[in-house]
Amino acid sequence: MSRKTRDVLSVEWVKLELIRTAYATRGGLFAKMDARMVIGWYLMLAVAPWLTHNFTTILALFAITAVSAALARVGPLVLGLFLFGFLTDFLYAFLAAWMFGGDVNTAIALIEINLKLATVSLASIAAFVSLDPEKLSTGLLALGAPELLAFGVSYGYRMMPILFEEFGIVFTGLRLRSAPGARGFLGMRALWRWGTYAVQAFYPIFLNTAKSVRTTVESLETRGFTANQGRGLRIARLSIGGLDVAVVAVTVAAVAVAFGLGARWPLG
Amino acid sequence: MTAIIELDRLSFRYPGADRDTLRNVSLTIEEGDFVAVIGGNGSGKTTLCKTFNGLVPHYWAGEFAGEARVAGVDTYESTVAELSGLVGYVYQDFQNQLVRPRVRDEVEFGPVNFGMEDFAARGEEAMRTLGVDHLADRFVWQLSGGQAHLTALASVLSMRPRIIVVDEPVAEVDPAGAHALYERLTQLNRELGITVVVIEHHAQFITQYAKSVVLMDDGAPVWHLPAAEAAARADELAAHGIPAPQIIDACAAAGIEGAPRTVAEAATLLREAGVRPTGASSAGTDDAGEGEAAEQARPVVTASSLSHGYRTVAGDLMPVLHDVDLTVRAGDRIALVGGNGAGKSTLMRLLGGLQVPREGSIVLDGVDTRKASSSRLADHAAYLFQRPEQMFLKDSVRADVRLHPAGRGREDVDALVDHVLDRVRLTPLADRDGRTLSGGQQRRATLAIGLAMSPALMLADEPTASLDVASRDSVIAMLDELSGTIAAAVVATHDMHLVAEWATRVIVLERGRIVADLPPRELFADDALLAQARLVPPQIVALGRELGVEPLPLSVADWRDAVALSGTEALA
C-alpha cells in the first residue's frame, strides 16, 4: 500500500467540484444569461416531456437537454453522478420488467418514464450549474419569492464551503484519534467505520456552527436585513439582453421541432 | 468636542442571568476619539459596546435601566436598524459576519437593505478607502484572514457610520494584519473624523494607537483616561488581566519609574538612568548546550526534497512547498514562522502524515508516511488544529482526551487520562464540554488531547492565537513544562513571544521555501531576515538590541538576570 496525493476522486476533489458547480466558475452559455430567463428556460424544458407519450419526441427532448448540459459545461462529478443514476435506473427497469413477467411494452413504458426524468434532470443540472448564488437569489426575488427564501439560498451557498472545511477537519480528527481497525473484505469494515465517523462528525459541527451563527444573525440585524427595503434595488440589477432572447427562442424552436418529429415519425 | 456616546446610570441583565452584566455605567465618549475598552474576561466589555448600536436592549431583550444616547438618539426609543446608520460593529469572529458570496455584494449589503439608491457608490467608496477594491469580485471564502477583516470593516463603513466598534481586532489575524487594520482605523479616525472604539487586550496596540482608554471591571468602568495616563497605571492594568508592555516591566526591573510608549523611549529612559546591562545572562549558556546535544540526537522526523501543492477552484495546481529538506531531532522545539500562505500549515500536515507530499518523502519516527495510514501515524505524531473546538469531538474534555488511548487499547488508559488532565490543570473542568471553557482552557484541553496520544512529535498550529496576554503566557509556560514528555515539538506561529520564550530553533518559511533555520537569538539579531519575513521582535528583544545587551534577552526574566548581573558588577 502506498499513499499518494490524488487530484480526482478524492475528498478534496469532491469539495472543489461542488464549489465549482455551486458558484458557476466554469462559465458556459447560460452563465452569461439573466437569471429569470434561465429559470424560465428551465421550466420550459422541465414541463415539455410530461406533455407527450411520443417516444420520438422524448428522445429529441433528451437530445436537446444533453446538448444544453454540454454547453453549460457541467463538471465531471455532477455528470458522473447523473450517469450513474441514469444507467442504474435503466438496469432496474429491465430487471423489473423481466422479473415481474412483463414484456417489451412494459420495458418501453419504464424506459420512457426514465428518459423523461433524465431529461428534466439534465435541464435542471444545466440551469443550476449556470446560476451563481447571487444570480439565483436575485432571480427568485424577481419572480416574487419572499426575501427570506432568496436570502436563504444565497446564504446556504455561502455556508457550503465553510461546512465542507469544518466537516473535513472534524472527520480527519475522528479518523486520526478513533480506534483503528482492519480494512475488512473489499474494505467494507473501513467503509463502515468511515460511515460512523461521518455521522459522529455532526455533533461537533452543529455545536461549532451554532456558535458562529449567532454572530451572523446579529450582524444581519445590524445591517438592516430585517429593514428589508432593498427588493427594488436588487431586482433593478437584472437585465434581459440579446443572448437571453436568442437562447430561449432557439430552445422554443427546438422543442417545437421535437414535437414535429414525433408527429411525423412516431416510435413505439 | 461634543459627546457622541453618553451612557447615564445604565444597567443591563441578560435574560435568565442572576446578576447584572452592566452595573450603573456612566460614560461619555467624545466625537473623534479613538477609545480602547479593556478589562478581564467577563468584565462586560462586549455587552457595553453592544449598547451603542442598540443590540442591547433590542436584540438581547434583558432588563435594561438607565439611558444611552448615541449622537443624540436615545437607543431605547430607537431601533437597531436606525442605529446601524450611526454605529458600525465589526465582530471578533468577523468571518461569520460576511453573509454574501462576493466582496462587492457584501459591502453593498447594508446600503441595499436600506434601499439607498447610491449603494454602488457607497460600496465602491468604502472598498477604496480601505484598499480592498481589487478584491471586489472575489468570493468571500477565498480571502485571507486580514482581507476578510478589512471586508467586514468595509461592509460597515459603506453605511457611513459616525462610530465604528471593533471587537478584539488582533484575535484572528496575524500581527502584520492587525497593524494594517489599526492603521486603517487610525486613518478613518483622522481623515473622516469617525469615532473608533476597540476592545483590546494587547497593551502594545493600546499604547500605540488609542487616544483614550476605558478600563472595565465587573460590569462598570473603573476609569476613562487619556492613553498616556492609562499606560502609566501598569499595576492596576496588571491586576485587571492586562499585563504591562514588556518595556514598562523592563524599566521597573531596573528600578525606573515611567511609562515609555515605544522601545526608543524606553531605551532613552534607561540610558539616562545609566542602566547598562551588558553581562552574560544565564540563558545564553543553556542555548549553546542544547545546540550541541541536538547534533547527536536521533531524528524524529526527516523530510527530504519535499514539494507539495493544491488544486485551486480554477483547476490549476497552486504550489505551496518547494524542495524542502528538514530534520527534526529529539529535543527540538521548533517554531515555524512566516506570513499567511508561506506553507506552514501544509508542512505541518505533511510532517504529521495527514497528507502525503506530491514529491519527496517523509520518515516519521522510522515510518515512511507513504507506507502507513494517517490513523497509524497518529500514534507517532499528534496534530493540534488551529481552532480548539475542532478538536472537541466528544461531549466532555475527559472523553476527548480518552478517545485516542482508549481506541488503541492501552491498559493504563484511566491513569493516563487522569495524569494528563492533572498536568494541564483541567481536572475540575474535565466533565464539561470543551466548547464551554475559556480560550486559554480550551488550548490547554487540546494540549491534553495531544499528550494523551503519547506522540514522539507534537505539531501545533497557532497554539496561542486569539488568547489574551495572561492566557497566552500560561499556554507558553505549559508548552515549556510539557516538552520533557514528547521527543520534539513543532509549532506554527505568528506569536514572537512564543518564539522568543519557548523555541530553541526557528524555521522561517517564505513562499514555500525554508529561508532560515536558526536559534531565536540569531533570528532577532538579523535585521535583513526580520524585514524579509516581516517579523517584529518582542519589545524586550528590541530593547535589548537598542541597548546592545549581549546575549539578547528573550524574556523579561532574561532581562532581569542581565540587570541583576550588571548591578552586582557595578557594586563590585
Side-chain angles (χ1 to χ4, degrees):
Chain A
M1 188 194 72
S2 178
R3 298 162 70 202
K4 64 176 193 179
T5 306
R6 287 178 206 282
D7 281 332
V8 287
L9 296 180
S10 65
V11 179
E12 188 64 22
W13 176 74
V14 170
K15 184 180 115 185
L16 284 175
E17 270 303 308
L18 287 176
I19 289 176
R20 286 170 190 151
T21 305
Y23 286 90
T25 58
R26 283 206 171 85
L29 177 65
F30 308 101
K32 297 185 196 79
M33 287 171 60
D34 184 290
R36 289 169 297 183
M37 292 303 261
V38 175
I39 294 174
W41 173 89
Y42 160 63
L43 287 176
M44 181 167 66
L45 283 174
V47 171
W50 307 105
L51 303 179
T52 177
H53 286 293
N54 186 312
F55 207 69
T56 312
T57 310
I58 295 172
L59 275 176
L61 288 173
F62 179 75
I64 295 172
T65 50
V67 171
S68 308
L71 290 175
R73 294 190 202 159
V74 178
L77 174 68
V78 175
L79 210 57
L81 286 175
F82 165 76
L83 280 176
F84 179 74
F86 186 59
L87 293 176
T88 47
D89 259 7
F90 266 91
L91 201 65
Y92 153 79
F94 276 111
L95 278 178
W98 176 61
M99 286 178 64
F100 294 102
D103 53 12
V104 182
N105 285 332
T106 331
I108 287 187
L110 283 171
I111 289 174
E112 187 190 307
I113 178 93
N114 278 326
L115 212 52
K116 284 183 180 181
L117 285 173
T119 306
V120 177
S121 313
L122 271 182
S124 39
I125 289 173
F128 289 98
V129 151
S130 310
L131 289 173
D132 70 32
E134 197 56 27
K135 267 192 163 175
L136 179 58
S137 91
T138 319
L140 287 173
L141 264 189
L143 296 173
E147 196 89 11
L148 202 62
L149 174 73
F151 176 77
V153 167
S154 96
Y155 182 66
Y157 276 95
R158 150 88 183 93
M159 286 302 285
M160 200 183 69
I162 296 178
L163 288 175
F164 278 147
E165 202 64 46
E166 192 76 21
F167 181 80
I169 290 174
V170 170
F171 187 86
T172 307
L174 278 164
R175 210 157 46 86
L176 294 183
R177 283 160 55 197
S178 299
R183 287 178 59 79
F185 178 63
L186 293 177
M188 290 305 272
R189 303 252 306 262
L191 211 61
W192 171 254
R193 243 188 345 265
W194 286 25
T196 330
Y197 298 158
V199 175
Q200 285 173 353
F202 278 88
Y203 167 79
I205 291 177
F206 270 120
L207 291 181
N208 294 350
T209 10
K211 215 171 139 195
S212 58
V213 164
R214 204 180 65 183
T215 302
T216 308
V217 175
E218 271 189 36
S219 151
L220 285 175
E221 190 73 21
T222 60
R223 289 163 65 202
F225 179 63
T226 46
N228 198 7
Q229 295 152 353
R231 194 182 183 104
L233 289 179
R234 290 217 172 86
I235 296 172
R237 288 176 170 186
L238 297 173
S239 73
I240 293 173
L243 178 72
D244 300 274
V245 178
V247 168
V248 172
V250 168
T251 314
V252 169
V255 170
V257 169
F259 277 86
L261 282 175
R264 187 83 181 268
W265 295 289
L267 262 179
Chain B
M1 279 211 282
T2 52
I4 190 154
I5 297 173
E6 297 157 282
L7 306 182
D8 187 19
R9 283 162 289 159
L10 188 78
S11 293
F12 181 73
R13 180 181 296 196
Y14 281 103
D18 50 12
R19 59 194 305 269
D20 289 353
T21 302
L22 293 179
R23 294 181 305 111
N24 215 18
V25 177
S26 293
L27 176 71
T28 306
I29 293 175
E30 305 288 331
E31 176 137 39
D33 203 352
F34 195 128
V35 189
V37 179
I38 61 177
N41 290 328
S43 60
K45 303 183 296 285
T46 300
T47 310
L48 177 78
C49 290
K50 285 184 180 169
T51 61
F52 302 161
N53 64 352
L55 280 174
V56 170
H58 295 292
Y59 181 81
W60 295 101
E63 288 172 41
F64 185 86
E67 195 185 43
R69 297 184 87 73
V70 173
V73 179
D74 184 339
T75 63
Y76 193 77
E77 306 290 326
S78 180
T79 62
V80 175
E82 194 186 329
L83 288 164
S84 65
L86 289 170
V87 186
Y89 199 106
V90 179
Y91 286 81
Q92 185 179 348
D93 51 339
F94 54 87
Q95 301 272 10
N96 299 313
Q97 186 175 346
L98 309 176
V99 291
R100 302 300 278 186
R102 289 181 200 264
V103 171
R104 187 192 304 280
D105 305 323
E106 178 64 32
V107 177
E108 289 171 355
F109 186 63
V112 165
N113 281 333
F114 286 102
M116 297 169 181
E117 295 289 340
D118 58 342
F119 66 90
R122 280 168 174 262
E124 200 61 46
E125 175 194 285
M127 285 189 286
R128 198 163 308 135
T129 310
L130 296 176
V132 289
D133 42 342
H134 63 288
L135 304 173
D137 294 313
R138 294 271 184 95
F139 291 115
V140 293
W141 41 264
Q142 290 176 318
L143 304 176
S144 73
Q147 291 170 337
H149 211 166
L150 286 173
T151 303
L153 183 58
S155 71
V156 303
L157 189 64
S158 61
M159 293 295 294
R160 297 187 185 143
R162 290 169 65 186
I163 303 164
I164 289 181
V165 182
V166 187
D167 195 346
E168 298 207 26
V170 192
E172 297 199 13
V173 290
D174 60 46
H179 276 287
L181 187 90
Y182 266 105
E183 293 296 339
R184 293 296 182 181
L185 287 173
T186 307
Q187 172 199 343
L188 296 178
N189 177 259
R190 198 184 307 128
E191 290 169 14
L192 303 174
I194 295 175
T195 309
V196 178
V197 180
V198 291
I199 299 177
E200 183 56 83
H201 283 302
H202 296 84
Q204 83 230 44
F205 288 101
I206 300 168
T207 47
Q208 195 171 346
Y209 296 101
K211 291 180 186 167
S212 76
V213 180
V214 174
L215 172 64
M216 289 289 289
D217 183 39
D218 198 19
V222 182
W223 39 251
H224 180 191
L225 293 171
E229 276 178 57
R233 303 196 175 195
D235 293 343
E236 213 173 327
L237 291 175
H240 289 97
I242 319 276
Q246 289 183 323
I247 42 174
I248 294 185
D249 272 353
C251 290
I256 294 166
E257 292 290 316
R261 286 176 69 134
T262 61
V263 172
E265 277 179 42
T268 317
L269 266 179
L270 288 163
R271 270 197 208 97
E272 281 166 5
V275 180
R276 283 194 182 72
T278 48
S281 75
S282 53
T285 48
D286 281 5
D287 254 14
E290 279 174 36
E292 273 165 36
E295 291 305 314
Q296 290 105 32
R298 75 180 169 94
V300 177
V301 60
T302 311
S304 339
S305 27
L306 214 58
S307 292
H308 198 62
Y310 296 109
R311 292 277 159 197
T312 65
V313 167
D316 31 70
L317 188 68
M318 183 179 70
V320 180
L321 294 174
H322 308 270
D323 209 21
V324 169
D325 287 296
L326 175 67
T327 303
V328 178
R329 293 178 182 276
D332 273 352
R333 299 175 180 192
I334 297 182
L336 211 51
V337 302
N340 289 331
K344 302 191 295 291
S345 295
T346 304
L347 179 56
M348 294 227 301
R349 295 172 81 93
L350 294 175
L351 291 179
L354 273 68
Q355 290 165 345
V356 289
R358 283 177 189 270
E359 278 165 52
S361 68
I362 294 177
V363 179
L364 169 63
D365 212 10
V367 185
D368 184 338
T369 60
R370 279 184 211 281
K371 297 282 189 294
S373 70
S374 52
S375 56
R376 294 283 174 200
L377 292 167
D379 296 341
H380 303 279
Y383 185 95
L384 310 185
F385 289 101
Q386 181 168 4
R387 285 173 37 231
E389 66 259 29
Q390 292 170 332
M391 303 281 295
F392 301 142
L393 308 175
K394 297 285 166 184
D395 56 3
S396 73
V397 173
R398 185 182 296 278
D400 269 317
V401 174
R402 214 186 137 81
L403 184 60
H404 182 274
R408 264 56 174 184
R410 286 187 60 154
E411 282 169 13
D412 57 340
V413 59
D414 289 309
L416 173 76
V417 171
D418 285 338
H419 175 69
V420 165
L421 284 169
D422 199 45
R423 285 200 72 177
V424 299
R425 295 189 285 281
L426 281 178
T427 308
L429 303 171
D431 294 317
R432 284 173 50 181
D433 189 310
R435 275 163 278 264
T436 62
L437 304 179
S438 75
Q441 289 164 346
Q442 289 193 352
R443 295 290 175 178
R444 278 162 28 207
T446 59
L447 283 179
I449 293 170
L451 280 180
M453 295 166 78
S454 319
L457 177 68
M458 174 94 93
L459 301 155
D461 204 345
E462 299 282 0
T464 56
S466 68
L467 291 182
D468 61 45
V469 180
S471 317
R472 181 192 73 192
D473 288 347
S474 88
V475 169
I476 295 180
M478 192 140 291
L479 274 171
D480 213 29
E481 282 176 35
L482 302 181
S483 15
T485 324
I486 26 187
V490 179
V491 159
T493 188
H494 290 301
D495 181 356
M496 288 303 123
H497 290 93
L498 177 61
V499 174
E501 290 169 27
W502 173 82
T504 55
R505 203 173 143 192
V506 188
I507 290 173
V508 183
L509 269 183
E510 194 171 280
R511 291 198 203 123
R513 292 176 206 279
I514 294 180
V515 293
D517 180 351
L518 69 190
R521 243 184 213 107
E522 284 176 29
L523 167 74
F524 292 129
D526 188 339
D527 280 322
L529 186 58
L530 287 172
Q532 184 189 357
R534 289 179 300 281
L535 302 175
V536 183
Q539 286 183 331
I540 196 72
V541 178
L543 182 64
R545 288 194 54 185
E546 190 85 22
L547 294 175
V549 184
E550 209 44 65
L552 272 179
L554 292 178
S555 63
V556 177
D558 281 359
W559 166 267
R560 280 202 194 96
D561 290 347
V563 171
L565 219 69
S566 62
T568 42
E569 275 166 16
L571 283 177

